[in-house]
Structure formats: structure tokens, C-alpha cells
Amino acid sequence: MEVNEQYAIDNGKEPSAIKQLLMHHGPLTPTEYYLKMDEVMDELAYHAFLKDVDAYITKDVPIQHLIGHEVFYGYAFKVSPDVLIPRFETEELVTHTLDYIDTFFQKEPLRLADVGTGSGCIGLTLKKEHSTLDVTCTDISKKALLIAQENAASLGVQATFAQGSMCEPLGEMDKFDIIVSNPPYLKDKEPVAPIVKDHEPHEALYGGSDGLKYYRELFESVEAMVNPTYMIALEHGYDTAKAIRKLIQKTLKDVTIIQKKDMQGRDRMTFVFKNNKVRISG
Ligand code: GLN
């Protein structure tokens, strides 16, 4: 058997995964890899590489679990089966959030909570990019919070971590200016690829029969946790933007709602503003 990108394609898998695993086990940087393609790999490393290729191809193990991290917004986040693997779509939520902070919030320090933080990718990236933010990350899973804490340490950022569902742990704290979340939003019966369903935590994936359980929970509890001027920034499923708008109109009064598409043109993000003098529509 020849282990190359064609082998992945023949098995209906991502060809780039083979290169990433090779890079992970070999001593070369991506540039060196192209310059020294004909060099022989150390035998131990080669066996470790073959083992991981097999886990990826035959057992559907995500390569992020084999490599141990995923790159999000240019930062390496440790991942394990206890957290959702950060998705690149979520980088767009971070970008818009940073833009809105610059446009609508002059005060410093701003208090921001990333609720349902998982690996910590949203809250910790925001802290990396906007160092004066006072960031709190919540998650219902203790194991997820431990990973997020490790990520904060390896990225060299300070954040507060609190265990509990969505906004629940925030009740005890000073009020927040910004709430960001990418909560679990798959419908309970939604078909999901085995590489996701068999390897990522179900409590990070599923959001009840309509996928909206955690948005409901958030909108019903959030006003007690925030200052009079606030923003909520959310990622959601591509087909729930209208339902989320309705939910907001039902639960939050006098707010401005802006919904955004992701780079693939899918309705994926909702931003809610209160008292920010937001005059944009869309
Ligand atoms: N906030 C984390 C992320 O976006 C975790 C999301 C989740 O577990 N649903 O990756």
C-alpha cells in the first residue's frame, strides 16, 4: 500500500490530511518539506505517521485529534474529544465582533463573556486581538474548561473561567458589555457525518429538537447579566436566522438586530445591540 494523497482520495477522505500528518510526524517545516521531498523519514516517525493515517482513513478520527490542535485565527488551540474542534466559519464571528467593538464601544475595559467556550477559541482569540478586554469563558463541561485554561496559558492570555450552562455562571459577577457565543445548534435528529458524530462531544453539538434550545436559554437570562448598553454576537445554523430573529423580538425589547452571512453566503451570524446608536440595517 502506498500512503499518499491519492490513498486518501480513493477512500473518500481529505488529501490534505496526509500532508498535515506527515508534517506533524516529520521534522520539516512546510517550506522544507517541498525542498526536501525525496529525503527519507526516520523509521519511528514513519510508523507513527502510518498509524495516524490508518486512524484517519479507517476509523474516521479527525486529524485535529491526531495532531492535538487546530489553528484558529492563526493561533494553535489544543483540542481533544472533550471540546468542539474550532471551525473556520467561527473566525468570521470573531472578525465581526472585533469590528463592532471598535465601532460601537469606546469604554475601557470592556467586559466580555464567551458562553459555551469549548476550546476557548472565541474568547481567547478576542483577548489576543484586543488585549484590554476583560474576558470570561463559561462552559458546562469541566473537561472543556480545563482545555480552555490550557489554551489561555499557552497563548499567554488572562481570562476568568466559570463552569455552568451558558450565562448561568455570570449571574454572580459584575455586569458584562458583550456576550459572544457559538452554542450547540444542531437539531437533535439532524444527520451528521460520522467523523463529527463519533468523535466530537454531543453536548457541544446538539441544541434540542429545533436546534434553538441554547439561544432561548441565552435570551431569557441575558438581560440580568449585562449593562444597559450591550452587544450579543452569535453564530447559528444556516437555516435558523429567521427563527432566531423572532426569538429575539419576543424576548428582548428595543434592540437592533443585524444578521450576517458567512463567506459561503449562508445566514450564520446574528448581532444584537442595545443602546449602541446602531443605525445600520441588514
Ligand atoms: N465556542 C466553541 C467554538 O466555537 C465551542 C462551541 C460549542 O461547543 N458549541 O468552537
PDB file of all heavy atoms in Angstrom, residues 52-72:
ATOM      1  N   ASP A  52      -1.306   6.985  12.339  1.00  0.00           N
ATOM      2  CA  ASP A  52      -2.276   8.091  12.302  1.00  0.00           C
ATOM      3  C   ASP A  52      -3.058   8.113  10.991  1.00  0.00           C
ATOM      4  O   ASP A  52      -4.264   8.376  10.985  1.00  0.00           O
ATOM      5  CB  ASP A  52      -1.561   9.434  12.497  1.00  0.00           C
ATOM      6  CG  ASP A  52      -1.307   9.728  13.971  1.00  0.00           C
ATOM      7  OD1 ASP A  52      -1.716   8.908  14.821  1.00  0.00           O
ATOM      8  OD2 ASP A  52      -0.716  10.777  14.273  1.00  0.00           O
ATOM      9  N   VAL A  53      -2.385   7.812   9.884  1.00  0.00           N
ATOM     10  CA  VAL A  53      -3.091   7.764   8.600  1.00  0.00           C
ATOM     11  C   VAL A  53      -4.180   6.692   8.686  1.00  0.00           C
ATOM     12  O   VAL A  53      -5.326   6.905   8.286  1.00  0.00           O
ATOM     13  CB  VAL A  53      -2.122   7.463   7.422  1.00  0.00           C
ATOM     14  CG1 VAL A  53      -2.902   7.172   6.146  1.00  0.00           C
ATOM     15  CG2 VAL A  53      -1.187   8.643   7.200  1.00  0.00           C
ATOM     16  N   ASP A  54      -3.833   5.559   9.277  1.00  0.00           N
ATOM     17  CA  ASP A  54      -4.807   4.480   9.403  1.00  0.00           C
ATOM     18  C   ASP A  54      -5.987   4.913  10.289  1.00  0.00           C
ATOM     19  O   ASP A  54      -7.142   4.658   9.966  1.00  0.00           O
ATOM     20  CB  ASP A  54      -4.108   3.247   9.993  1.00  0.00           C
ATOM     21  CG  ASP A  54      -5.058   2.072  10.056  1.00  0.00           C
ATOM     22  OD1 ASP A  54      -5.573   1.684   8.985  1.00  0.00           O
ATOM     23  OD2 ASP A  54      -5.326   1.572  11.168  1.00  0.00           O
ATOM     24  N   ALA A  55      -5.681   5.580  11.399  1.00  0.00           N
ATOM     25  CA  ALA A  55      -6.763   6.042  12.294  1.00  0.00           C
ATOM     26  C   ALA A  55      -7.679   7.016  11.546  1.00  0.00           C
ATOM     27  O   ALA A  55      -8.906   6.970  11.669  1.00  0.00           O
ATOM     28  CB  ALA A  55      -6.171   6.727  13.520  1.00  0.00           C
ATOM     29  N   TYR A  56      -7.080   7.867  10.742  1.00  0.00           N
ATOM     30  CA  TYR A  56      -7.862   8.860   9.990  1.00  0.00           C
ATOM     31  C   TYR A  56      -8.696   8.182   8.891  1.00  0.00           C
ATOM     32  O   TYR A  56      -9.896   8.425   8.764  1.00  0.00           O
ATOM     33  CB  TYR A  56      -6.924   9.909   9.387  1.00  0.00           C
ATOM     34  CG  TYR A  56      -7.626  10.858   8.442  1.00  0.00           C
ATOM     35  CD1 TYR A  56      -8.585  11.762   8.912  1.00  0.00           C
ATOM     36  CD2 TYR A  56      -7.358  10.831   7.070  1.00  0.00           C
ATOM     37  CE1 TYR A  56      -9.247  12.609   8.042  1.00  0.00           C
ATOM     38  CE2 TYR A  56      -8.026  11.678   6.197  1.00  0.00           C
ATOM     39  CZ  TYR A  56      -8.970  12.564   6.684  1.00  0.00           C
ATOM     40  OH  TYR A  56      -9.641  13.396   5.823  1.00  0.00           O
ATOM     41  N   ILE A  57      -8.040   7.300   8.124  1.00  0.00           N
ATOM     42  CA  ILE A  57      -8.733   6.706   6.972  1.00  0.00           C
ATOM     43  C   ILE A  57      -9.735   5.631   7.408  1.00  0.00           C
ATOM     44  O   ILE A  57     -10.864   5.613   6.947  1.00  0.00           O
ATOM     45  CB  ILE A  57      -7.721   6.082   5.973  1.00  0.00           C
ATOM     46  CG1 ILE A  57      -6.731   7.123   5.464  1.00  0.00           C
ATOM     47  CG2 ILE A  57      -8.451   5.377   4.814  1.00  0.00           C
ATOM     48  CD1 ILE A  57      -7.177   8.025   4.354  1.00  0.00           C
ATOM     49  N   THR A  58      -9.337   4.747   8.309  1.00  0.00           N
ATOM     50  CA  THR A  58     -10.231   3.613   8.591  1.00  0.00           C
ATOM     51  C   THR A  58     -11.110   3.828   9.822  1.00  0.00           C
ATOM     52  O   THR A  58     -12.153   3.221   9.938  1.00  0.00           O
ATOM     53  CB  THR A  58      -9.443   2.295   8.757  1.00  0.00           C
ATOM     54  OG1 THR A  58      -8.663   2.404   9.940  1.00  0.00           O
ATOM     55  CG2 THR A  58      -8.552   2.017   7.564  1.00  0.00           C
ATOM     56  N   LYS A  59     -10.688   4.692  10.750  1.00  0.00           N
ATOM     57  CA  LYS A  59     -11.516   4.878  11.955  1.00  0.00           C
ATOM     58  C   LYS A  59     -12.147   6.249  12.021  1.00  0.00           C
ATOM     59  O   LYS A  59     -12.801   6.586  13.001  1.00  0.00           O
ATOM     60  CB  LYS A  59     -10.683   4.617  13.216  1.00  0.00           C
ATOM     61  CG  LYS A  59     -10.114   3.212  13.267  1.00  0.00           C
ATOM     62  CD  LYS A  59      -9.516   2.914  14.632  1.00  0.00           C
ATOM     63  CE  LYS A  59      -8.709   1.632  14.633  1.00  0.00           C
ATOM     64  NZ  LYS A  59      -7.406   1.773  13.929  1.00  0.00           N
ATOM     65  N   ASP A  60     -11.927   7.055  10.975  1.00  0.00           N
ATOM     66  CA  ASP A  60     -12.580   8.364  10.924  1.00  0.00           C
ATOM     67  C   ASP A  60     -12.159   9.312  12.041  1.00  0.00           C
ATOM     68  O   ASP A  60     -12.919  10.212  12.419  1.00  0.00           O
ATOM     69  CB  ASP A  60     -14.109   8.180  11.036  1.00  0.00           C
ATOM     70  CG  ASP A  60     -14.791   8.494   9.719  1.00  0.00           C
ATOM     71  OD1 ASP A  60     -14.191   9.224   8.913  1.00  0.00           O
ATOM     72  OD2 ASP A  60     -15.921   8.026   9.526  1.00  0.00           O
ATOM     73  N   VAL A  61     -10.993   9.101  12.621  1.00  0.00           N
ATOM     74  CA  VAL A  61     -10.555  10.005  13.703  1.00  0.00           C
ATOM     75  C   VAL A  61     -10.161  11.352  13.071  1.00  0.00           C
ATOM     76  O   VAL A  61      -9.384  11.386  12.120  1.00  0.00           O
ATOM     77  CB  VAL A  61      -9.336   9.418  14.470  1.00  0.00           C
ATOM     78  CG1 VAL A  61      -8.878  10.369  15.573  1.00  0.00           C
ATOM     79  CG2 VAL A  61      -9.666   8.043  15.041  1.00  0.00           C
ATOM     80  N   PRO A  62     -10.708  12.456  13.566  1.00  0.00           N
ATOM     81  CA  PRO A  62     -10.339  13.758  12.985  1.00  0.00           C
ATOM     82  C   PRO A  62      -8.838  14.015  13.125  1.00  0.00           C
ATOM     83  O   PRO A  62      -8.260  13.697  14.170  1.00  0.00           O
ATOM     84  CB  PRO A  62     -11.116  14.777  13.839  1.00  0.00           C
ATOM     85  CG  PRO A  62     -12.168  13.995  14.550  1.00  0.00           C
ATOM     86  CD  PRO A  62     -11.653  12.589  14.691  1.00  0.00           C
ATOM     87  N   ILE A  63      -8.224  14.565  12.103  1.00  0.00           N
ATOM     88  CA  ILE A  63      -6.764  14.758  12.203  1.00  0.00           C
ATOM     89  C   ILE A  63      -6.398  15.727  13.326  1.00  0.00           C
ATOM     90  O   ILE A  63      -5.326  15.644  13.888  1.00  0.00           O
ATOM     91  CB  ILE A  63      -6.076  15.185  10.881  1.00  0.00           C
ATOM     92  CG1 ILE A  63      -6.592  16.509  10.391  1.00  0.00           C
ATOM     93  CG2 ILE A  63      -6.134  14.134   9.821  1.00  0.00           C
ATOM     94  CD1 ILE A  63      -5.572  17.146   9.463  1.00  0.00           C
ATOM     95  N   GLN A  64      -7.339  16.607  13.668  1.00  0.00           N
ATOM     96  CA  GLN A  64      -7.037  17.534  14.787  1.00  0.00           C
ATOM     97  C   GLN A  64      -6.814  16.750  16.083  1.00  0.00           C
ATOM     98  O   GLN A  64      -6.044  17.174  16.939  1.00  0.00           O
ATOM     99  CB  GLN A  64      -8.187  18.527  14.982  1.00  0.00           C
ATOM    100  CG  GLN A  64      -8.354  19.511  13.841  1.00  0.00           C
ATOM    101  CD  GLN A  64      -9.248  18.991  12.728  1.00  0.00           C
ATOM    102  OE1 GLN A  64      -9.567  17.797  12.645  1.00  0.00           O
ATOM    103  NE2 GLN A  64      -9.668  19.884  11.845  1.00  0.00           N
ATOM    104  N   HIS A  65      -7.514  15.615  16.239  1.00  0.00           N
ATOM    105  CA  HIS A  65      -7.307  14.799  17.439  1.00  0.00           C
ATOM    106  C   HIS A  65      -5.964  14.074  17.362  1.00  0.00           C
ATOM    107  O   HIS A  65      -5.331  13.803  18.380  1.00  0.00           O
ATOM    108  CB  HIS A  65      -8.437  13.793  17.609  1.00  0.00           C
ATOM    109  CG  HIS A  65      -9.723  14.431  18.040  1.00  0.00           C
ATOM    110  ND1 HIS A  65     -10.902  13.747  18.160  1.00  0.00           N
ATOM    111  CD2 HIS A  65     -10.010  15.717  18.377  1.00  0.00           C
ATOM    112  CE1 HIS A  65     -11.856  14.570  18.539  1.00  0.00           C
ATOM    113  NE2 HIS A  65     -11.342  15.780  18.680  1.00  0.00           N
ATOM    114  N   LEU A  66      -5.532  13.749  16.161  1.00  0.00           N
ATOM    115  CA  LEU A  66      -4.256  13.044  15.996  1.00  0.00           C
ATOM    116  C   LEU A  66      -3.091  14.014  16.182  1.00  0.00           C
ATOM    117  O   LEU A  66      -2.095  13.686  16.824  1.00  0.00           O
ATOM    118  CB  LEU A  66      -4.199  12.384  14.608  1.00  0.00           C
ATOM    119  CG  LEU A  66      -5.312  11.344  14.374  1.00  0.00           C
ATOM    120  CD1 LEU A  66      -5.429  10.988  12.897  1.00  0.00           C
ATOM    121  CD2 LEU A  66      -5.044  10.089  15.210  1.00  0.00           C
ATOM    122  N   ILE A  67      -3.268  15.200  15.652  1.00  0.00           N
ATOM    123  CA  ILE A  67      -2.211  16.220  15.769  1.00  0.00           C
ATOM    124  C   ILE A  67      -2.259  16.887  17.137  1.00  0.00           C
ATOM    125  O   ILE A  67      -1.254  17.305  17.685  1.00  0.00           O
ATOM    126  CB  ILE A  67      -2.375  17.265  14.633  1.00  0.00           C
ATOM    127  CG1 ILE A  67      -2.067  16.606  13.276  1.00  0.00           C
ATOM    128  CG2 ILE A  67      -1.497  18.484  14.847  1.00  0.00           C
ATOM    129  CD1 ILE A  67      -2.384  17.471  12.071  1.00  0.00           C
ATOM    130  N   GLY A  68      -3.471  17.001  17.693  1.00  0.00           N
ATOM    131  CA  GLY A  68      -3.633  17.563  19.036  1.00  0.00           C
ATOM    132  C   GLY A  68      -4.055  19.020  19.073  1.00  0.00           C
ATOM    133  O   GLY A  68      -4.316  19.556  20.138  1.00  0.00           O
ATOM    134  N   HIS A  69      -4.117  19.652  17.929  1.00  0.00           N
ATOM    135  CA  HIS A  69      -4.548  21.046  17.944  1.00  0.00           C
ATOM    136  C   HIS A  69      -5.210  21.426  16.621  1.00  0.00           C
ATOM    137  O   HIS A  69      -5.114  20.701  15.630  1.00  0.00           O
ATOM    138  CB  HIS A  69      -3.370  21.976  18.229  1.00  0.00           C
ATOM    139  CG  HIS A  69      -2.390  22.065  17.096  1.00  0.00           C
ATOM    140  ND1 HIS A  69      -1.263  21.279  17.007  1.00  0.00           N
ATOM    141  CD2 HIS A  69      -2.386  22.844  15.994  1.00  0.00           C
ATOM    142  CE1 HIS A  69      -0.609  21.565  15.903  1.00  0.00           C
ATOM    143  NE2 HIS A  69      -1.272  22.512  15.259  1.00  0.00           N
ATOM    144  N   GLU A  70      -5.866  22.578  16.638  1.00  0.00           N
ATOM    145  CA  GLU A  70      -6.376  23.168  15.400  1.00  0.00           C
ATOM    146  C   GLU A  70      -5.943  24.635  15.397  1.00  0.00           C
ATOM    147  O   GLU A  70      -5.872  25.274  16.451  1.00  0.00           O
ATOM    148  CB  GLU A  70      -7.910  23.065  15.358  1.00  0.00           C
ATOM    149  CG  GLU A  70      -8.594  23.783  14.205  1.00  0.00           C
ATOM    150  CD  GLU A  70      -8.227  23.244  12.816  1.00  0.00           C
ATOM    151  OE1 GLU A  70      -7.018  23.158  12.504  1.00  0.00           O
ATOM    152  OE2 GLU A  70      -9.154  22.929  12.051  1.00  0.00           O
ATOM    153  N   VAL A  71      -5.641  25.134  14.223  1.00  0.00           N
ATOM    154  CA  VAL A  71      -5.268  26.542  14.132  1.00  0.00           C
ATOM    155  C   VAL A  71      -6.543  27.351  13.891  1.00  0.00           C
ATOM    156  O   VAL A  71      -7.335  27.039  13.002  1.00  0.00           O
ATOM    157  CB  VAL A  71      -4.244  26.779  12.999  1.00  0.00           C
ATOM    158  CG1 VAL A  71      -3.936  28.268  12.856  1.00  0.00           C
ATOM    159  CG2 VAL A  71      -2.965  25.993  13.274  1.00  0.00           C
ATOM    160  N   PHE A  72      -6.746  28.348  14.733  1.00  0.00           N
ATOM    161  CA  PHE A  72      -7.927  29.206  14.650  1.00  0.00           C
ATOM    162  C   PHE A  72      -7.442  30.643  14.697  1.00  0.00           C
ATOM    163  O   PHE A  72      -6.726  31.021  15.623  1.00  0.00           O
ATOM    164  CB  PHE A  72      -8.864  28.905  15.828  1.00  0.00           C
ATOM    165  CG  PHE A  72     -10.126  29.720  15.850  1.00  0.00           C
ATOM    166  CD1 PHE A  72     -11.251  29.322  15.132  1.00  0.00           C
ATOM    167  CD2 PHE A  72     -10.195  30.889  16.599  1.00  0.00           C
ATOM    168  CE1 PHE A  72     -12.417  30.071  15.150  1.00  0.00           C
ATOM    169  CE2 PHE A  72     -11.359  31.648  16.617  1.00  0.00           C
ATOM    170  CZ  PHE A  72     -12.477  31.236  15.892  1.00  0.00           C
TER     171      PHE A  72
END
